[in-house]
Amino acid sequence: MSKAITSVLVANRGEIALRIFRTAETMGLNTVAVHSDADARAPFVRKADMAISIGPAEAAKSYLDIEKVITAARTSGADAIHPGYGFLSENTDLAAACEKANLRFIGPPASAIAAMGSKSAAKALMDKANVPLVPGYHGEDQDLAVFVKEAERIGFPLLIKASAGGGGKGMRIVRNAGELRHQLEAAQREAGSSFGDPTLLLERYLETPRHVEVQVLFDQHGTGVYLFDRDCSVQRRHQKIIEEAPAPGIPDDVRRSMGEAAVRCGEAIGYVGAGTVEFLYEPESHEFFFMEMNTRLQVEHPVTEMVTGLDLVEWQIRVANGEALPWNQDDLRCQGHAMEARVYAEDPDNGFLPQTGRLHTLHEPVESNTVRVDSGVCQGLEITPWYDPMLAKVIAFGDDRNAARINLIEALNRYHTDGVVLNTDYVSRVLRHDAFGRAELTTRFVEVHEKALLDPPFSSWFRKRLSLVAWMDSVGGFAHADNRDVWATLRNFRVDDSHWQPFELDLDADRYHGHYQVTEVALDHGRLTLCMDDEESTVRWDRMTDGALEVRLSGRRIRLDSAARGDELAVFADAATWKARINHPEVAQGAVADETELTAPMHGRVTALLCKPGEPVHAGQALLTMEAMKMEHTLKAGFDGTVEAVHCQTGSNVEAAQVLITLAQPED
């Protein structure tokens, strides 16, 4: 046996690089990162034992440059390269270059990658291996007359696919013979332009299939097992949104047949390491058909790890070291249920456009026995347009499917950013949809339920009221759990009297006015009443253990948090996020008739002193102005009397509830 791996270079970036480093460190291996100029400050670069710059932001000149990757491995002393997924992960040239450079490639041999590189050739191999195929034509003869004849045999609707394609490129649905020729010509042009190969194949088009895949693992000694299945049906533009394991609602005998077919697929191409065989599954007939094999680690591999208890990256490295798999198929068990949500920097309400910007605030769920976060970002990181917009993955586990679904919803409620729009709210809408809860899954799920999924979870009515509550909490209007002096933070927010505080709210380019009154407050709960839009509402809240509020409003319970930046507030309500600006108009903030101490309503700066010790004053007279949260506040006397003492000066920075002026009442 050759020498065991001691140092791993990851030819990738972001969350997958961090995920591989985590396992490599646990195994006692040294880690090497390669990075572009755009990623110089990224978390995966800091995590590695050694980091090497391999070029500019453009992937073709950095992450896709095989020579630079091999040179970095030699320079660092790494003896193995892990490609992650994407970039060079299914590139035969990288696998061959590693072999030539005497570096271990943590993946399948180049021959296995090549066998699955062409969809047509792969389907021919699968046919020989007795792996079920969708009826179709995968021949080399690309004459239009041949396609027309084969289409008649297959029947309509049918699907045109690019043999070398992926991501939906070169794909066309044809529903009748009249449009076949036009669609074939268009698909050939797109395939040639996108992949440099115009070769096409035809398949029967399945109207409502599910996308089910099987995880396989092979050692170098000819032994292979399947690590059960995953459902990846919920997709947008052929890109997966939510993945789960095991795939729900599949009969045991069909599940076993699918797993065995996946193993035959790997055996047919001499596969080594971790791979995924993807099938189309028809729920009504329980038929399944080979679609393709991904000769790499999948983005969704964590759900399989959660239900099997195995670390797939660890076993990729062990297999690369020549270790034999220690189990038979019957030794393996699938327990519980797991779901994964991909967190993308994209705006679902604006055509899912990729988003860029700085992560001024980043709140991620705390990991536990039921929640895992594979993240590639950190607070303050700049999200650039150079790479895939996936920032992280949130994975949840439960004893059953519904428990996993609820845990994932709650985890996404705790994933928030300010500065970059995310898709987390949209994913949460999918998870909450009744059809998803009933596991009514198809690859057309998003298309079928498009209108409902684009409905925002909070109406303008809710958002206005939640914005005020979030602002009150942000500026210290409510006591936090670590503050024992509850009343000290509420000197400006009078409890149980008729004093209403006015406020202005800027939301969605509109300005609203209203009044509020804090009517109850304690260390861990409270209540306020607000009047807006000629309607009075009561809001109750409880402080959660992590500092957020659980708000009860109009029959709903909502997790509420916020982040202030300048005069703008990012409001986080469950998985939704929006921006608001709120302030107090210039109003009297002085004493009531029997109050002798005037205090700062919140943290701020004194901008003007309008009185001095010994000076007589009258009720309503302005005594001091201060600025807080970009707002001007005026403190006024509540009775006729005398200024006894002034405890600040112009320009002073003051704390919330700090005494600023003391008044003396007349002796009579």
Side-chain angles (χ1 to χ4, degrees):
M1 180 185 294
S2 58
K3 183 181 177 182
I5 295 168
T6 61
S7 179
V8 176
L9 181 147
V10 176
N12 218 298
R13 62 179 298 278
E15 64 87 16
I16 185 58
L18 279 165
R19 188 266 170 274
I20 296 167
F21 289 156
R22 186 167 63 243
T23 289
E25 288 183 357
T26 300
M27 298 178 72
L29 306 178
N30 292 323
T31 56
V32 181
V34 291
H35 66 88
S36 70
D37 295 342
D39 279 336
R41 298 178 181 274
F44 78 93
V45 175
R46 299 198 304 268
K47 178 70 171 176
D49 295 321
M50 180 183 296
I52 298 175
S53 175
I54 56 171
E58 187 178 347
K61 298 178 180 179
S62 52
Y63 295 110
L64 292 175
D65 191 317
I66 293 175
E67 184 177 347
K68 288 182 178 179
V69 171
I70 296 295
T71 299
R74 287 172 170 158
T75 301
S76 66
D79 45 25
I81 291 179
H82 195 304
Y85 48 70
F87 289 139
L88 296 170
S89 60
E90 294 179 282
N91 188 296
T92 55
D93 292 339
L94 175 63
C98 285
E99 184 177 354
K100 183 178 180 180
N102 200 28
L103 293 167
R104 215 79 58 87
F105 180 70
I106 303 177
S111 58
I113 299 174
M116 288 296 162
S118 164
K119 287 182 171 60
S120 297
K123 289 180 185 295
L125 280 171
M126 295 305 98
D127 193 26
K128 292 181 181 179
N130 197 29
V131 177
L133 299 175
V134 177
Y137 173 68
H138 317 118
E140 294 181 2
D141 193 336
Q142 297 287 294
D143 187 80
L144 287 176
V146 173
F147 279 125
V148 170
K149 181 179 178 182
E150 291 296 328
E152 292 174 353
R153 178 182 62 83
I154 298 167
F156 295 93
L158 59 79
L159 186 66
I160 302 172
K161 297 173 73 174
S163 179
K169 298 285 188 181
M171 190 177 290
R172 297 285 192 284
I173 299 171
V174 183
R175 297 194 176 276
N176 58 69
E179 61 184 49
L180 178 62
R181 185 177 295 272
H182 167 71
Q183 296 284 24
L184 283 167
E185 291 172 347
Q188 283 180 329
R189 288 193 300 269
E190 186 174 17
S193 173
S194 298
F195 311 112
D197 182 355
T199 304
L200 303 178
L201 55 87
L202 303 180
E203 289 181 350
R204 181 205 299 169
Y205 178 64
L206 307 178
E207 292 281 4
T208 56
R210 286 169 55 182
H211 182 148
V212 178
E213 58 190 32
V214 177
Q215 177 73 59
V216 293
L217 184 64
F218 285 81
D219 61 23
Q220 298 182 33
H221 310 288
T223 300
V225 295
Y226 62 90
L227 302 178
F228 311 105
D229 44 74
R230 303 183 287 252
D231 191 292
C232 307
S233 299
V234 180
Q235 304 176 7
R236 182 187 59 78
R237 298 173 187 167
H238 305 287
Q239 297 296 319
K240 300 165 187 173
I241 297 175
I242 297 172
E243 302 101 348
E244 57 182 299
I250 298 180
D252 290 344
D253 59 334
V254 176
R255 198 183 300 275
R256 183 172 55 255
S257 296
M258 196 180 296
E260 291 171 349
V263 172
R264 291 198 301 274
C265 172
E267 290 172 342
I269 61 173
Y271 199 79
V272 173
T276 299
V277 182
E278 300 191 342
F279 296 99
L280 290 175
Y281 172 69
E282 281 281 17
E284 293 184 4
S285 65
H286 299 302
E287 293 178 284
F288 61 90
F289 306 101
F290 174 83
M291 185 163 55
E292 62 183 350
M293 183 177 188
N294 295 125
T295 53
R296 54 172 168 79
L297 194 67
Q298 290 279 89
V299 175
E300 57 270 22
H301 76 274
V303 294
T304 293
E305 294 182 324
M306 278 193 151
V307 296
T308 61
L310 299 175
D311 183 328
L312 291 179
V313 173
E314 176 186 352
W315 277 102
Q316 282 186 299
I317 295 172
R318 288 183 179 277
V319 166
N321 270 330
E323 291 189 33
L325 299 183
W327 333 277
N328 295 316
Q329 188 64 55
D330 292 340
D331 296 329
L332 298 166
R333 295 287 182 273
C334 177
Q335 296 181 315
H337 201 96
M339 286 187 183
E340 174 181 289
R342 301 187 184 192
V343 178
Y344 281 95
E346 63 182 13
D347 186 356
D349 296 326
N350 191 23
F352 293 90
L353 285 176
Q355 300 292 295
T356 59
R358 187 176 299 278
L359 297 173
H360 296 288
T361 299
L362 175 64
H363 296 160
E364 294 184 319
V366 176
E367 293 197 348
S368 65
N369 292 333
T370 58
V371 175
R372 166 176 164 179
V373 181
D374 284 12
S375 178
V377 294
C378 62
Q379 187 162 299
L381 187 69
E382 187 77 22
I383 306 303
T384 73
W386 290 104
Y387 311 114
D388 187 276
M390 190 177 78
L391 307 185
K393 302 176 304 195
V394 180
I395 309 101
F397 177 83
D399 291 336
D400 56 33
R401 184 176 186 270
N402 195 51
R405 183 180 69 90
I406 291 172
N407 288 340
L408 185 52
I409 290 171
E410 292 179 350
L412 290 176
N413 286 349
R414 289 164 170 77
Y415 200 111
H416 299 298
T417 63
D418 172 31
V420 179
V421 177
L422 302 182
N423 69 327
T424 48
D425 181 25
Y426 182 84
V427 175
S428 183
R429 296 178 214 176
V430 174
L431 293 167
R432 294 172 185 270
H433 197 284
D434 289 343
F436 185 88
R438 295 190 298 267
E440 296 173 358
L441 308 174
T442 78
T443 55
R444 297 182 63 242
F445 185 93
V446 168
E447 180 183 345
V448 170
H449 303 291
E450 181 178 17
K451 184 177 179 181
L453 294 176
L454 288 176
D455 284 341
F458 297 106
S459 65
S460 176
W461 187 94
F462 270 98
R463 294 200 299 146
K464 286 187 283 188
R465 285 150 181 80
L466 291 172
S467 295
L468 173 69
V469 176
W471 176 77
M472 289 279 292
D473 191 40
S474 175
V475 300
F478 301 146
H480 285 265
D482 60 351
N483 189 342
R484 306 303 300 180
D485 188 2
V486 178
W487 305 105
T489 63
L490 290 167
R491 294 296 296 270
N492 187 51
F493 304 98
R494 296 179 174 83
V495 179
D496 291 332
D497 82 351
S498 60
H499 187 82
W500 287 83
Q501 300 271 5
F503 68 90
E504 296 174 341
L505 164 65
D506 292 337
L507 182 67
D508 300 332
D510 290 316
R511 173 161 289 185
Y512 305 93
H513 295 85
H515 293 77
Y516 69 87
Q517 180 185 37
V518 178
T519 54
E520 178 185 354
V521 70
L523 188 65
D524 57 358
H525 68 275
R527 179 177 62 186
L528 66 82
T529 303
L530 63 92
C531 185
M532 180 183 282
D533 305 323
D534 298 322
E535 178 185 352
E536 193 171 293
S537 308
T538 298
V539 183
R540 297 176 181 271
W541 57 266
D542 294 288
R543 179 75 60 190
M544 303 176 75
T545 55
D546 63 356
L549 301 181
E550 183 185 62
V551 173
R552 286 169 284 167
L553 174 61
S554 189
R556 293 177 65 173
R557 289 180 179 265
I558 303 155
R559 176 187 167 84
L560 187 66
D561 208 344
S562 62
R565 182 159 53 92
D567 62 348
E568 191 173 63
L569 187 72
V571 181
F572 308 132
D574 288 343
T577 301
W578 63 84
K579 298 293 182 65
R581 287 184 175 88
I582 305 176
N583 64 64
H584 281 138
E586 292 187 26
V587 294
Q589 302 289 353
V592 292
D594 60 350
E595 194 168 37
T596 59
E597 291 183 338
L598 276 69
T599 60
M602 59 192 73
H603 304 289
R605 184 176 64 86
V606 176
T607 55
L609 270 175
L610 307 176
C611 65
K612 57 185 177 181
E615 179 182 336
V617 296
H618 57 81
Q621 180 178 333
L623 306 180
L624 175 149
T625 62
M626 65 174 290
E627 184 184 76
M629 293 289 290
K630 307 279 186 182
M631 297 166 267
E632 184 83 359
H633 301 267
T634 303
L635 276 64
K636 300 180 180 181
F639 54 85
D640 295 340
T642 304
V643 177
E644 184 174 275
V646 177
H647 306 285
C648 61
Q649 58 187 3
T650 300
S652 295
N653 292 317
V654 296
E655 300 292 320
Q658 179 179 329
V659 177
L660 304 180
I661 296 174
T662 303
L663 299 177
Q665 292 181 327
E667 292 183 2
D668 59 355

